[in-house]
Amino acid sequence: MSDMDAHLLIVDDDERIRTLLQKFLMRNGFLVTAARDAAHARRILSGLDFDLIVLDIMMPGEDGLSFTKALRETHDVPILLLTAKGETGNRIEGLEAGADDYLAKPFEPKELLLRINAILRRMPETLIDHAAPKVLSLGTIKYDMERGEMWQGEDLVRLTATEMQLMKIFSASCNEPISRSKLVEELGRDRGQAQERAVDVQITRLRRKIEDDPKQPRFLQTVRGAGYMLAPE
């Protein structure tokens, strides 16, 4: 597995930073899932394995240091801490909590990329070789995040190009609502109500391939006032 095959989890309560990091790292070949806080990250980690976690320290509720200590009791996944605190004492505290590296804000995205690649290169090959497959369970449907393939049993579910793009977008932000306008942007379409209605049509078609009852969706949910959300088992 190369660095570019890695699946990263970004945990940051600042939506702007979270979105910027997610887009930047995806442009550089990574598969990226984002969480808005430690509690959200726990829910995601209960169903997915990651190759590295980029974790902000200063978050409401459970902060990054406490979350790092808790993760180290059950997970060996590498952790890169982000914080506005750059003093030596803070860096030591983060490393003592179990982090693999520490990057102070503000930072250049290129430096973050270099540090992530450096951590991944240090990972033992045995851990990488035995990494769990990146597969989401949607009832009887299985979605392979790395291959972008959907299966029902041994049968491949055929997806259109737009449906494949939508699944890639949703699977990178499981359990997090995505607005219709953001979906239009991620799909590379011109903004406007017509395009948002077109997204609604594509969602309806995708639900027919995922849901047992598309009129009462269980996995590709509508979140009132927020958009659509993929909620795998």
Side-chain angles (χ1 to χ4, degrees), residues 2-3 36-37 52 68 97 136 156:
S2 69
D3 295 348
R36 58 186 170 272
D37 55 27
L52 185 142
T68 297
L136 297 181
L156 180 66

Side-chain angles (χ1 to χ4, degrees), residues 182-202:
K182 185 174 181 181
L183 287 171
V184 170
E185 179 185 347
E186 293 287 342
L187 289 170
R189 310 286 173 80
D190 294 330
R191 295 184 180 183
Q193 289 188 346
Q195 288 295 346
E196 290 187 10
R197 288 195 293 271
V199 165
D200 293 338
V201 172
Q202 294 293 340

